[in-house]
Amino acid sequence: MSKADTYINDFGGLVTDNGHASDEMVIEIDSVSKWYGDFQVLTDCTAHVHKGDVVVVCGPSGSGKSTLIKTVNGLEPFQKGVINVNGISVGDAKTNLPKLRSRVGMVFQHFELFPHLTIIDNLTVAQIKVLGRREDEAKQKGMAYLDRVGLSAQAPKYPAELSGGQQQRVAIARALAMDPVAMLFDEPTSALDPEMIQEVLDVMVELTRDGMTMMCVTHEMGFASQVANRIIFMDEGYIVENCSKEEFFEGAKSERAQLFLSKILNH
């Protein structure tokens, strides 16, 4: 690749002229469709996420954003198309989905922490049971990631003793402790009070600086414009726009995306 074919993004990452951070494919979504009974929620969705990409999935409520991201690690089954994660077919009946999910970090709207376990135990249980790590090794790694999100002092506490923003940061640390090849975020700030949103976004920004491959459903357009290198815009189950953030914010092609942006950016 020549220097003319690349440019450096705001956070120092190498981004190719096709808007991807790398040529190495991590998530491959090809012609995916999904139905709930007779109702089609995804229609011929195609998107590719390369190593180091930060892809923001946005669109109006009910557009299929969360459904799409949950198909990536098999939390939502799909009836048509192909999804590969690190070369493994998600839809193949022979695929060990629990093992695959252990390599794809998932952070939900609601933190999904085990309320009866301490914070450090929340970070170690899956490492021990799924990855087979020794307890001391799992605890060491868990503490390292709690420190990374600024919460090492909270290790002996229980989730109910933490704020919503702190719990979401713990959820991110828990996912990172599994050494994921990619991180999926499903509206990670939508359940938070406004003053807690920034602390979670700050952690996510740090992940992008470290080159983590991320796919994030969010309404936080400021975050999208700051750190995403690609935007997927969905409406009524279709991927309407799939382009660089510059193309999206400066010249979205579809009228639906233009209308969405006009409403979002005017508030």
Side-chain angles (χ1 to χ4, degrees):
M1 185 185 300
S2 70
K3 291 182 179 179
D5 291 330
T6 63
Y7 63 90
I8 303 299
N9 68 13
D10 293 340
F11 293 100
L14 189 63
V15 179
T16 64
D17 60 354
N18 64 5
H20 293 295
S22 164
D23 290 334
E24 181 181 339
M25 189 91 70
V26 177
I27 299 169
E28 187 176 3
I29 304 169
D30 281 324
S31 302
V32 167
S33 295
K34 175 180 173 59
W35 288 261
Y36 289 125
D38 294 331
F39 180 64
Q40 189 164 3
V41 290
L42 297 175
T43 304
D44 292 329
C45 293
T46 294
H48 299 154
V49 181
H50 294 69
K51 186 176 182 180
D53 273 356
V54 179
V55 177
V56 163
V57 185
C58 60
S61 297
S63 59
K65 308 182 298 295
S66 291
T67 302
L68 179 69
I69 206 167
K70 287 176 182 176
T71 63
V72 171
N73 64 352
L75 288 176
E76 288 279 4
F78 53 95
Q79 288 76 42
K80 179 187 171 188
V82 174
I83 298 178
N84 290 316
V85 177
N86 234 25
I88 299 170
S89 175
V90 176
D92 189 330
K94 297 190 293 292
T95 295
N96 184 333
L97 287 178
K99 184 176 180 181
L100 176 67
R101 290 182 191 127
S102 73
R103 301 301 318 282
V104 183
M106 184 86 187
V107 179
F108 300 90
Q109 297 179 38
H110 301 284
F111 325 119
E112 309 291 344
L113 300 176
F114 295 115
H116 63 292
L117 297 180
T118 63
I119 296 305
I120 187 59
D121 286 343
N122 263 279
L123 266 73
T124 59
V125 63
Q127 294 185 63
I128 295 167
K129 292 183 178 295
V130 180
L131 300 183
R133 286 181 179 148
R134 300 190 316 271
E135 184 176 354
D136 59 338
E137 181 187 5
K139 186 172 182 178
Q140 183 179 18
K141 185 173 280 283
M143 287 301 299
Y145 280 110
L146 279 179
D147 184 61
R148 182 172 176 178
V149 300
L151 292 174
S152 55
Q154 312 301 325
K157 295 183 179 180
Y158 289 86
E161 299 178 79
L162 273 59
S163 70
Q166 288 175 320
Q167 290 187 60
Q168 194 63 294
R169 284 151 62 193
V170 170
I172 293 172
R174 179 179 60 179
L176 291 172
M178 301 295 285
D179 297 329
V181 296
M183 289 282 287
L184 307 177
F185 295 87
D186 184 15
E187 300 195 33
T189 60
S190 64
L192 299 178
D193 292 335
E195 64 268 23
M196 297 177 186
I197 290 173
Q198 193 58 48
E199 65 187 71
V200 173
L201 293 179
D202 286 345
V203 170
M204 294 171 67
V205 168
E206 286 298 321
L207 292 181
T208 69
R209 289 175 173 156
D210 291 343
M212 174 61 71
T213 304
M214 294 166 56
M215 196 171 179
C216 180
V217 174
T218 184
H219 292 292
E220 299 291 339
M221 289 295 100
F223 170 80
S225 64
Q226 182 184 11
V227 302
N229 61 300
R230 296 195 66 79
I231 305 288
I232 291 173
F233 176 79
M234 297 187 69
D235 187 40
E236 297 182 348
Y238 290 88
I239 292 180
V240 180
E241 306 257 354
N242 183 357
C243 57
S244 71
K245 69 176 179 185
E246 291 81 10
E247 290 175 294
F248 184 72
F249 285 107
E250 297 171 12
K253 296 180 176 64
S254 67
E255 288 185 15
R256 187 65 188 88
Q258 292 169 12
L259 178 63
F260 175 82
L261 281 171
S262 70
K263 292 181 177 180
I264 291 289
L265 299 180
N266 287 333
H267 289 282

